[in-house]
């Protein structure tokens, strides 16, 4: 989904959505040798850039999102709404679709 | 969906629906050269024109919409009910289908 | 769905149903020239003729319908239960299926 | 669904079910000429013969049915459980499936 | 579903299930002539043999079953869990699947 | 589903699951003659070996299971999660999937 | 799903997710003879490594997970989100998908 946006920072996710960018896998081995494109698997680790205010439970109360900007998370292989700003690619996931936090 | 309406302003969305118009991508490069039709991708940015009173939660209380007229939003690639007034095209989305606000 | 009814006025929608009749598009141009059948698109504008008492929310309380007889509304392209009285055609929609009110 | 019942009156619908019999369309024109079988369309008007005590809402409270024996109603083209008593045919619909009351 | 049970009386339905046995249609005409197998339609009338304690509504309260042992009921043409004890066939239906009581 | 478990007794079902073992049909006639494999139908009777603490209703309260270890039950023909310990086969059903208790 | 993670310990499951590692079946017979790959069936026993804070019930209250790190559990044959850290494989299941605890 391409946009004419100048910066991803202008995106404020709505409801329980979370804006993330996948972390790119190393394209070189430890010894500095470039890996072929096919070997560079798409990682499922991502950085949280922005978080919506949270969805509503059935009584209409806001549900606190479980992550915050700056967190590292494990995202599902598929799903999410892709967003393109210039050449950079981002994704919008629902809070409950995120699998885990990565505490490093 | 064509209508015999004279102006889009007469449309008052019902429940949690939001009336938007997609922002057209630049058809010329910065240098003024016209882009071929195929290069002008449909953007997913849109302007909010009108907002319904909001849907009901399961207890029958109104749920405040998360956007207001004048907001710029990111809309999903597909979905929404298309509306045509004269040659202009608009869409009706449900509030919870909108992906993000664009704060520029 | 044909009926032996003499008048549409005898129909009292149940629950959250709304009885509407689509507004027929102009079959002549402003200059009075008759448009070919194919050019006369089915409009999605309709007039509300009768409204049910409203559906129930999960606690069994009545939910006020969002339109009233005489309102002009935007109806979805498809859906609704068609009703024929003599040669006239009408439709029954659920209140939440109606897209917008038309304030003209 | 054939039964060995002697009379339809012995049927007491359960929960929110409503027992109806479709009203047969005129098989003769006003002038008394018999219409061919194919021309006699199945009407969607029916008479209510018996009504169950009503279904339960999620809190276990009974929900008042919206029709009563003797009412004339508009029923959907399809659906309902067919019941045959001798040569007569009846149908059981759920209360919320009925489209409208006919006040004549 | 065959069982090694000696008697159907040892079956105590769980939750909102109801144990019934379909009433066999007359295999002879009033005048005593045997009907061919094909003519003996499966009736949808059945006798209630045993009733479970009832299901739970969403708050965890028991919901009273709408029938009791000895009642005659109208059961749907299809559905239910078939049970065989010796050569006799029975069915387990959910309370809300039963169509009507037969008050004869 | 094979396991390296030494004894089925070490299995403690979670939530509303119930561990059962199907009762094997007699492989000999009363007179002691062995029945061919095909004639020995899979019975739907089973013995309850272990019961989970129960599931939650929508308010988060535990729901009492309807059976206890030692009960004899009627289980559906299909469904359940098969478990193999050595050569013995067991099944895990949800409490609400069990059809009836067998009081012998 | 491969990751660039150095250690599985940095994964903190979100909501009601549970991080497990399947227990590998013996690849040698008791007598020390190596089993062919095909004979080494995938066991459904797994060890719990980390547990999320729990999901929410419909009123937005946290639901205690039913297992804790160190527990041995029976997991379904299929399902779960696979995670690879180096050459080791792990899975993320939802708490309610786990079948049973193994008390050895």
């Amino acid at each position: 989904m391409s946009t004419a946006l100048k910066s991803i920072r202008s995106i404020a996710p709505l409801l329980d959505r979370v804006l993330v960018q996948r972390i790119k896998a190393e394209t070189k081995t430890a010894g500095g040798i470039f890996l072929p494109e096919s070997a560079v698997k798409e990682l499922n680790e991502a950085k949280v850039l922005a978080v919506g205010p949270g969805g509503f439970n059935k009584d209409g109360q806001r549900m606190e999102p479980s992550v915050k900007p700056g967190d590292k998370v494990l995202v599902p292989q598929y799903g999410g709404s892709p967003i393109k700003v210039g050449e950079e690619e981002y994704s919008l996931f629902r809070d409950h679709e995120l699998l885990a936090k990565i505490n490093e």
Side-chain angles (χ1 to χ4, degrees), chain A residues 10-77:
Chain A
S10 57
I11 296 224
L14 285 168
L15 289 175
D16 63 341
R17 291 186 180 82
V18 178
L19 180 68
V20 304
Q21 185 169 34
R22 284 179 192 270
I23 294 160
K24 292 192 179 42
E26 288 305 329
T27 51
K28 287 187 292 182
T29 64
I33 303 156
F34 268 95
L35 289 163
E37 183 89 24
S38 61
V40 179
K41 281 180 234 88
E42 214 185 12
L43 289 194
N44 292 75
E45 289 162 64
K47 197 151 176 231
V48 173
L49 302 182
V51 178
F56 294 103
N57 73 8
K58 65 145 201 55
D59 293 321
Q61 288 137 350
R62 282 280 186 203
M63 302 280 293
E64 272 283 309
S66 23
V67 294
K68 58 185 180 325
D71 282 348
K72 255 176 90 180
V73 287
L74 212 55
V75 294
Q77 189 93 18

